[in-house]
Amino acid sequence: MKDHRTNVGIGGVLHTGRELHVLETIELDEFASYRFEAPLEVSLRIRRAGTGLDLNGTISGVAEGTCARCLDDVRLPLTVDVEERFDPPSENDDPLGESNVLVGDELDLQDLVRQLVDSALPIVLLCAEDCTGLCTKCGFKADPHCRCTPPE
Ligand SMILES: [Zn+2]
Ligand SMILES: [Zn+2]
């Protein structure tokens, strides 16, 4: 069983300025009513920038959820462009700060991916922009299954 957390050692990047390329698949637990049945693919280039880190790359995968109107399952292909900058905590900062993605020489890749995917997901998921939802009389999806409205 693979460890669920995926930490990336970035000491080499911080201390030698060497660039690091990360190619990983990351499993995400269900959150914010989205499910992730397959691991997400993560491709990142990590570089030193001043005393901090620059992250560039993409996260791709498929989020699965439920249409807010008709309750159909929806598969939502995701490609998240990553452009992040991390500064090392200074002595005055809470070492965990607002995110605990970067702790010492370790980058918590799974936590980073979860946060970035979270901010990229729509708050309201629809199967289609013009989803008509469920018929209030018969409970079937209003189009095309509902037969309540006789054809004109
Ligand atoms: Zn729908
Ligand atoms: Zn109906």
Side-chain angles (χ1 to χ4, degrees):
M1 215 29 209
K2 200 177 158 201
D3 190 344
H4 204 57
R5 298 180 75 81
T6 308
N7 286 356
V8 177
I10 41 94
V13 179
L14 286 174
H15 299 133
T16 70
R18 202 175 59 217
E19 209 173 284
L20 186 65
H21 292 251
V22 176
L23 279 175
E24 279 282 351
T25 55
I26 297 291
E27 290 179 35
L28 285 186
D29 291 331
E30 178 174 343
F31 70 90
S33 79
Y34 286 95
R35 301 179 304 279
F36 302 88
E37 288 184 6
L40 290 98
E41 293 187 15
V42 179
S43 169
L44 284 181
R45 188 179 59 180
I46 304 175
R47 285 184 300 182
R48 185 168 68 179
T51 55
L53 286 177
D54 246 354
L55 272 63
N56 281 281
T58 55
I59 301 166
S60 56
V62 177
E64 295 179 52
T66 306
C67 174
R69 290 187 195 151
C70 71
L71 310 180
D72 270 1
D73 288 336
V74 180
R75 284 171 53 83
L76 184 69
L78 280 179
T79 304
V80 183
D81 288 321
V82 182
E83 267 183 57
E84 292 289 313
R85 169 71 195 260
F86 288 103
D87 290 307
S90 74
E91 286 182 24
N92 299 325
D93 285 343
D94 174 354
L96 301 181
E98 59 191 39
S99 91
N100 55 359
V101 163
L102 192 57
V103 180
D105 284 354
E106 298 259 288
L107 180 74
D108 184 338
L109 197 58
Q110 191 191 40
D111 200 33
L112 174 75
V113 168
R114 202 192 64 79
Q115 291 184 26
L116 292 172
V117 167
D118 192 14
S119 57
L121 287 168
I123 293 164
V124 176
L125 178 66
L126 297 176
C127 64
E129 285 286 320
D130 59 351
C131 173
T132 50
L134 298 178
C135 171
T136 53
K137 289 182 197 157
C138 68
F140 280 106
K141 198 170 169 177
D143 179 55
H145 307 290
C146 168
R147 296 287 179 268
C148 296
T149 313
E152 293 176 16

